[in-house]
Amino acid sequence: MSGPDGGPGALITGMAWSTALGSDLDEVWQALLSGATGVAPVPSEHPLRSDEAAVVADLPMDLGPERRQYELGARTLRAAVADAGLDLTDPRLLLVAGTSHGPHLDVPADGLDRWGETLTAGLGMARPPLMVSTACSAASDALLVGAALIAEGEEDICVVGGVDVLTPAKRLGHSVLGTMSPTALRAFDMSHDGTVLGEGAGFLVLERARSARARGARPRGRLSGAGSANDAAGPTAPDPTGGTVVRAVTTALAAAGRDTGEVGVVNAHGSGTPVNDDTESRGLARTFTHGPAPVVFATKGAFGHTLGATGALEAIAVLLALSEQRVPPVPGLETVMSHFPLPLPTGAAPLPFTGDVGLSLTLGFGGFTTCLVLEAAA
């Protein structure tokens, strides 16, 4: 994934997130390092496997799904663009954004792009958005698409990411499917029994190096490669062999011109469901067969599973981990599943690592699997 002005991929010149632990980048990162979680009881009018969820505290549930999706997206998009030193009305900005269903399981619409069109119009952006909906990999695929547009010389600046809000239909759906944990989200733990839903938003500004240099932008890192694969094994369950994980990771590393031995850290999907955790574990074991073993961490126990936003939040977490050379503990992880192949932070303390290359891995319903290669700022 070589850019038209040299160097792999695209520079990341701005980023922002809104999570159940807050929205300040450094404060939320420190909360993650301390082992904090935003998961708490959230009342529901429907009988569910669990009332646990992770919500954005200053976004009242009674605003309704459409308004909450807009407000969450708007505040986070503003913050990311401001972090890059840009203006939302800049005609160079193209929004590439993902969601699973956004508000549209509860509020029917003509298409899953409606929320994005409302967002760009409300913020006064000059161009219509490009929308992605690939289940839980949606935000990661938005980053992939934005990076490809820059690498091909089609765009100078893309604002990429995802937004997803907690809604009654999503909670009821995951409860009926049996993917919702009746206890707690414990990624890669021997006692894992399901996921816990959350909500959030994350956006990153991807920019051609020439554009960033011309305006004196501060790079926060680089998205140097991306890869995706789909096993088509079923509407919800992934291919249990982990082959799709292998294909996505190897494709991404090849695009970045990197080898598995150069990877210092991996933010795993870590949804806490036995099927996904096992598939991801097998894929990682088949991928990292030689060289130094990267450290793995997972943030869904703190943020909840934010569905279509998760890839953006986790990409930001990888960049912050690369900056500090340590990863936060995995909430709920006490006894690592017996065949997990790589180091995980157990206990309550952060785990250090070395290296300036990290991966963010997402596994979505429908077999969508995406890997992003992120590198520390020079």
Side-chain angles (χ1 to χ4, degrees):
M1 186 182 286
S2 295
D5 49 1
L11 291 180
I12 298 162
T13 55
M15 59 189 191
W17 57 13
S18 297
T19 78
L21 289 175
S23 59
D24 182 273
L25 283 169
D26 293 332
E27 288 179 5
V28 172
W29 180 245
Q30 293 305 315
L32 288 173
L33 290 173
S34 73
T37 177
V39 175
V42 178
S44 171
E45 60 187 79
H46 304 290
L48 303 174
R49 283 167 64 90
S50 171
D51 65 354
E52 295 286 297
V55 296
V56 176
D58 59 347
L59 194 68
M61 296 292 289
D62 59 11
L63 285 178
E66 282 189 303
R67 189 66 189 176
R68 296 181 81 247
Q69 179 90 1
Y70 177 85
E71 293 293 341
L72 190 55
R75 68 170 68 169
T76 314
L77 185 54
R78 284 193 197 101
V81 171
D83 186 58
L86 293 164
D87 188 277
L88 278 166
T89 60
D90 190 322
R92 294 174 298 171
L93 299 186
L94 174 67
L95 175 65
V96 185
T99 194
S100 62
H101 286 280
H104 299 321
L105 276 179
D106 302 72
V107 183
D110 294 335
L112 289 174
D113 58 350
R114 174 175 155 183
W115 72 274
E117 294 171 351
T118 302
L119 181 62
T120 52
L123 292 175
M125 297 185 73
R127 302 167 65 184
L130 181 58
M131 308 305 292
V132 179
S133 184
T134 49
C136 305
S137 288
S140 292
D141 287 330
L143 268 74
L144 180 155
V145 170
L149 289 171
I150 289 172
E152 293 298 324
E154 296 295 326
E155 301 290 340
D156 283 338
I157 309 172
C158 293
V159 189
V160 297
V163 187
D164 238 321
V165 289
L166 189 73
T167 72
K170 291 174 189 173
R171 300 182 77 188
L172 186 59
H174 278 271
S175 187
V176 171
L177 281 171
T179 51
M180 181 184 290
S181 169
T183 56
L185 198 163
R186 295 183 292 273
F188 306 121
D189 191 86
M190 287 290 290
S191 60
H192 56 183
D193 59 7
T195 199
V196 171
L197 294 187
E199 63 184 5
F203 285 104
L204 301 92
V205 177
L206 303 184
E207 190 165 356
R208 291 178 67 179
R210 185 176 64 191
S211 170
R213 285 196 301 267
R215 64 184 192 86
R218 169 201 57 181
R220 284 188 170 274
R222 182 185 290 272
L223 175 56
S224 57
S228 64
N230 192 302
D231 53 44
T236 56
D239 170 15
T241 69
T244 314
V245 172
V246 176
R247 287 192 291 275
V249 174
T250 54
T251 299
L253 287 171
R258 295 292 191 175
D259 183 76
T260 54
E262 297 177 90
V263 178
V265 63
V266 178
N267 188 312
H269 191 65
S271 68
T273 64
V275 170
N276 260 37
D277 282 3
D278 188 65
T279 297
E280 196 167 12
S281 175
R282 291 177 187 276
L284 292 171
R286 291 176 57 186
T287 302
F288 293 95
T289 58
H290 65 279
V295 167
V296 177
F297 74 114
T299 56
K300 288 184 175 65
F303 293 152
H305 191 337
T306 58
L307 304 176
T310 191
L313 298 181
E314 292 171 1
I316 293 171
V318 169
L319 290 166
L320 295 173
L322 289 169
S323 176
E324 291 209 8
Q325 295 287 285
R326 56 181 180 158
V327 299
V330 178
L333 179 59
E334 295 180 359
T335 305
V336 178
M337 50 195 288
S338 59
H339 57 284
F340 194 83
L342 301 174
L344 278 163
T346 55
L351 181 63
F353 70 91
T354 58
D356 58 4
V357 178
L359 305 183
S360 179
L361 188 60
T362 49
L363 281 67
F365 277 179
F368 294 106
T369 302
T370 301
C371 178
L372 306 174
V373 182
L374 299 143
E375 302 192 18

